[in-house]
Amino acid sequence: FTSVFHERDPANQRAARACSRAKDWMTAEEIELKKLYDMGTWKIVDTPPGADLLPMTWSCKVKRDDTYEVCQRKARINVRGDLQYPWEYNNTHSPTARFAAVRTIVALAAQDGLDLYAWDIAGAFCTSMCDKELYLQAPPGYPLPEGKCLKLIRSQYGLKQASSLFHDDLERWMLEYGFEAVGPDGVM
């Protein structure tokens, strides 16, 4: 098994840029930044006087297919939400369904011969509008001009409130399209 997994996830951006696949990791970073730019995640602004700029960090992940072959190198930029002050977020809670509730839905679908569908929302935590005025430092390796910073427009991975904002948007959308929350959790 060791030969299959010889390429490990780089511990950080510095490790990714120092390895033999550095060019691939830099391409992955550029893809991530372009995605966030295209989504309007932030805009470059003059740094407000006295603003606390949250730093960002890169995480790197080797993605494998079902035969364990490397199919993608994924770089993700994360806000250091662990450095957020309590007044920079309201709610951090986002409910999840109990396993028993999911099992019940699957059983009912099987009993009635219904099809079930699941999907993955790419960049889910980056789709919601940010609920607070937050400013960020430039992503490591991509400096901004002196006196400039990023004003966060959309939520970002790493923010304390990211999952709560996404849950609120998803719930609003589902109710708008006629779905109803059922069960004690209110998430099914």
Side-chain angles (χ1 to χ4, degrees):
F1 286 110
T2 56
S3 63
V4 173
F5 297 109
H6 73 277
E7 184 178 352
R8 299 189 190 284
D9 297 340
N12 52 38
Q13 183 189 39
R14 183 178 298 127
R17 289 188 172 189
C19 76
S20 62
R21 298 285 187 175
K23 188 175 181 180
D24 294 336
W25 287 111
M26 289 182 73
T27 299
E29 288 177 10
E30 291 166 8
I31 289 169
E32 174 77 352
L33 287 174
K34 181 178 181 340
K35 177 188 79 175
L36 295 173
Y37 176 79
D38 290 347
M39 291 176 71
T41 303
W42 52 57
K43 64 181 178 180
I44 298 172
V45 297
D46 292 328
T47 303
D52 290 312
L53 304 181
L54 290 170
M56 293 194 276
T57 185
W58 286 100
S59 60
C60 303
K61 180 81 175 152
V62 175
K63 301 287 187 169
R64 299 180 184 280
D65 62 17
D66 54 357
T67 64
Y68 300 105
E69 293 295 320
V70 174
C71 61
Q72 181 184 17
R73 286 170 187 82
K74 174 87 172 134
R76 174 173 286 157
I77 191 75
N78 303 287
V79 173
R80 290 281 314 272
D82 59 313
L83 300 177
Q84 279 183 274
Y85 293 106
W87 57 84
E88 293 177 329
Y89 56 91
N90 290 328
N91 187 13
T92 60
H93 174 75
S94 59
T96 56
R98 294 181 193 177
F99 187 67
V102 175
R103 209 172 40 230
T104 301
I105 296 292
V106 171
L108 290 171
Q111 175 183 314
D112 294 341
L114 301 174
D115 293 328
L116 291 176
Y117 298 93
W119 70 95
D120 180 28
I121 300 173
F125 284 4
C126 302
T127 59
S128 301
M129 300 306 283
C130 197
D131 63 340
K132 296 285 186 175
E133 194 165 287
L134 297 172
Y135 296 93
L136 309 173
Q137 296 174 5
Y142 298 88
L144 290 171
E146 186 70 30
K148 298 288 186 179
C149 69
L150 300 173
K151 180 179 181 182
L152 200 56
I153 306 299
R154 294 188 175 274
S155 182
Q156 180 66 47
Y157 288 102
L159 285 180
K160 288 187 180 286
Q161 67 267 41
S163 65
S164 177
L165 292 171
F166 175 71
H167 170 265
D168 292 347
D169 280 355
L170 182 61
E171 181 179 52
R172 197 172 15 261
W173 179 86
M174 293 186 82
L175 292 172
E176 187 177 302
Y177 280 88
F179 291 91
E180 292 180 32
V182 297
D185 309 341
V187 295
M188 293 295 286

